Amino acid sequence: MQREFVETEDALCTDVDFHITDHLKSTLMFTASSVPIEEIENFPTEFFATLKRLVQDKEIDMTRMATVIEKETLKLLDSAETDAHDTAAAVAISDFLYGSADGKNLKESVKDQEYLDVLSKYTVDDWLNVLSKWYIDAPRITLFGKP
């Protein structure tokens, strides 16, 4: 999405980000930064049209995906090395707030490296299925942050 919306001559935003919130119910989030106010209302239509086109054309850049996953792996390892106390505390607090009362989810909360390893083995079809199931076909809401 970076290539589609940021790295173009007529960029629609300055950055894009996909992330998941870890709460009672997980939420898949997409954020577009600094979308011009005159484009903001049309951005969701552009975004989902682009997703649909990528899925229809099977246009997933696997080299770029590998780079993104490697970058996330390096961030994870750096965080564990340089901010171990904050990293461990964040996992423990999140599990305490949102995990099971007996702590059985804690083990799953520290498997980020394993999850990234699984993602690194995804094929084009796996990524297309993720986009279809969790972004294109799933119910959604759009929030606009206007100045």
Side-chain angles (χ1 to χ4, degrees):
M1 300 318 280
Q2 195 83 13
R3 182 180 64 204
E4 299 288 330
F5 294 110
V6 179
E7 298 170 0
T8 64
E9 193 163 317
D10 295 325
L12 284 176
C13 56
T14 58
D15 194 25
V16 294
D17 180 53
F18 286 91
H19 62 276
I20 299 173
T21 61
D22 294 319
H23 299 292
L24 229 34
K25 295 198 181 239
S26 294
T27 306
L28 300 175
M29 305 279 291
F30 172 80
T31 304
S33 301
S34 300
V35 177
I37 196 76
E38 60 274 2
E39 300 287 342
I40 201 166
E41 303 255 345
N42 296 325
F43 192 87
T45 303
E46 287 278 330
F47 172 71
F48 287 105
T50 300
L51 282 182
K52 288 175 186 174
R53 179 183 50 79
L54 293 174
V55 169
Q56 182 180 347
D57 296 346
K58 297 186 178 228
E59 195 178 319
I60 300 290
D61 183 345
M62 294 303 287
T63 302
R64 191 174 191 120
M65 293 303 290
T67 300
V68 169
I69 293 167
E70 181 181 4
K71 184 178 172 184
E72 288 300 314
T73 299
L74 292 174
K75 281 186 353 189
L76 176 69
L77 295 173
D78 181 64
S79 174
E81 185 176 328
T82 60
D83 291 325
H85 57 289
D86 286 337
T87 303
V91 169
I93 290 168
S94 181
D95 185 72
F96 175 78
L97 292 172
Y98 307 112
S100 63
D102 62 5
K104 69 179 180 183
N105 298 116
L106 183 58
K107 195 173 188 178
E108 298 300 313
S109 299
V110 294
K111 290 187 173 183
D112 289 358
Q113 180 63 56
E114 289 179 41
Y115 299 140
L116 288 167
D117 290 342
V118 169
L119 292 177
S120 72
K121 294 172 179 56
Y122 267 32
T123 64
V124 169
D125 286 336
D126 292 328
W127 286 113
L128 295 173
N129 288 335
V130 167
L131 289 176
S132 292
K133 180 177 181 178
W134 296 107
Y135 286 93
I136 296 170
D137 299 335
R140 60 183 173 260
I141 62 168
T142 302
L143 301 175
F144 298 106
K146 294 182 180 179

